[in-house]
Amino acid sequence: NAGVTQTPKFRILKIGQSMTLQCTQDMNHNYMYWYRQDPGMGLKLIYYSVGAGITDKGEVPNGYNVSRSTTEDFPLRLELAAPSQTSVYFCASSSGWEQYFGPGTRLTVT
Amino acid sequence: DQQVKQNSPSLSVQEGRISILNCDYTNSMFDYFLWYKKYPAEGPTFLISISSIKDKNEDGRFTVFLNKSAKHLSLHIVPSQPGDSAVYFCAASGSNYKLTFGKGTLLTVNP
């Protein structure tokens, strides 16, 4: 079991560029989540999904989009990257309250 | 408005002593609480949880206490070990398994 995997580990984007952060889980979990963590802050929920084809906004969705076409994959799309999106992004999955996290993607927008 | 608060950014304890990490919440709809541990450059890992119908849950060296009337929970680590040095996040959930996290407390256990 690989658990939750995220790619890439690191990325530097120029302002206005777009990219997709990949997230895959092999635990057959229905629930998947995207968080961002800024320095000195807790994790803030960007988007979540309760199953394939169903997504909903979290606390900080602006500037992001998601899709969930399969149980395993939950990609996060950044359109028109801005410096405020510089952060560490974590994907997680769960079948209940206990969420399992990936190792994170460190994104810098300059 | 922070719904989950960890008021101590950092805590330092000696190896073998007790570590007590605190967490307060404001939303009375929260009914499930979790603690996560995070090492640098890694994702958070689940440590221990407690339902609102309980006031204590133990797992080895880790015990979580919940005081619903005070909207307060704490994590006790006994005895503390250097490998416990990490950032500890408190999280709370009310529905849909969505979690609201505190800002975290950096625990340093000195040998």
Side-chain angles (χ1 to χ4, degrees):
Chain A
N1 263 5
V4 179
T5 57
Q6 292 183 238
T7 56
K9 283 188 168 41
F10 304 94
R11 182 73 187 266
I12 298 174
L13 277 183
K14 292 191 187 307
I15 294 170
Q17 286 185 322
S18 301
M19 75 164 294
T20 299
L21 282 67
Q22 302 291 346
C23 175
T24 299
Q25 54 98 2
D26 63 0
M27 296 173 282
N28 202 33
H29 286 164
N30 283 330
Y31 297 85
M32 294 189 76
Y33 314 82
W34 274 105
Y35 294 90
R36 60 177 286 174
Q37 185 191 13
D38 300 323
M41 302 295 286
L43 285 78
K44 292 193 182 296
L45 184 64
I46 305 171
Y47 270 96
Y48 68 100
S49 169
V50 301
I54 307 169
T55 62
D56 205 350
K57 295 177 181 178
E59 186 182 354
V60 289
N62 291 345
Y64 307 95
N65 275 303
V66 293
S67 59
R68 182 108 182 264
S69 56
T70 67
T71 299
E72 295 77 20
D73 300 304
F74 190 38
L76 178 71
R77 178 83 178 160
L78 279 73
E79 304 282 1
L80 297 174
S84 60
Q85 293 178 304
T86 294
S87 190
V88 181
Y89 292 84
F90 292 102
C91 178
S93 72
S94 76
S95 58
W97 279 290
E98 297 167 17
Q99 294 182 13
Y100 295 83
F101 284 81
T105 294
R106 182 174 293 276
L107 175 68
T108 302
V109 182
T110 62
Chain B
D1 180 32
Q2 262 190 286
Q3 297 188 67
V4 177
K5 299 177 186 178
Q6 294 177 255
N7 292 320
S8 298
S10 63
L11 174 68
S12 182
V13 299
Q14 286 299 119
E15 181 178 4
R17 305 296 290 267
I18 185 171
S19 295
I20 300 176
L21 295 96
N22 294 304
C23 178
D24 297 295
Y25 62 96
T26 57
N27 190 337
S28 56
M29 299 302 289
F30 289 146
D31 57 8
Y32 200 83
F33 304 89
L34 306 90
W35 285 93
Y36 279 82
K37 176 178 178 179
K38 185 181 180 306
Y39 292 118
E42 294 184 10
T45 55
F46 170 74
L47 195 56
I48 192 169
S49 62
I50 188 166
S51 163
S52 60
I53 63 172
K54 294 187 173 182
D55 54 17
K56 177 182 173 181
N57 188 28
E58 270 184 276
D59 184 1
R61 297 185 297 114
F62 302 92
T63 303
V64 56
F65 295 92
L66 175 62
N67 182 334
K68 280 187 300 182
S69 61
K71 293 192 177 68
H72 177 82
L73 61 155
S74 61
L75 174 68
H76 292 210
I77 306 174
V78 183
S80 301
Q81 300 173 353
D84 296 329
S85 297
V87 176
Y88 289 78
F89 290 101
C90 171
S93 179
S95 64
N96 285 340
Y97 303 127
K98 290 191 295 181
L99 299 181
T100 300
F101 284 84
K103 291 184 178 182
T105 296
L106 173 63
L107 173 66
T108 303
V109 180
N110 301 301

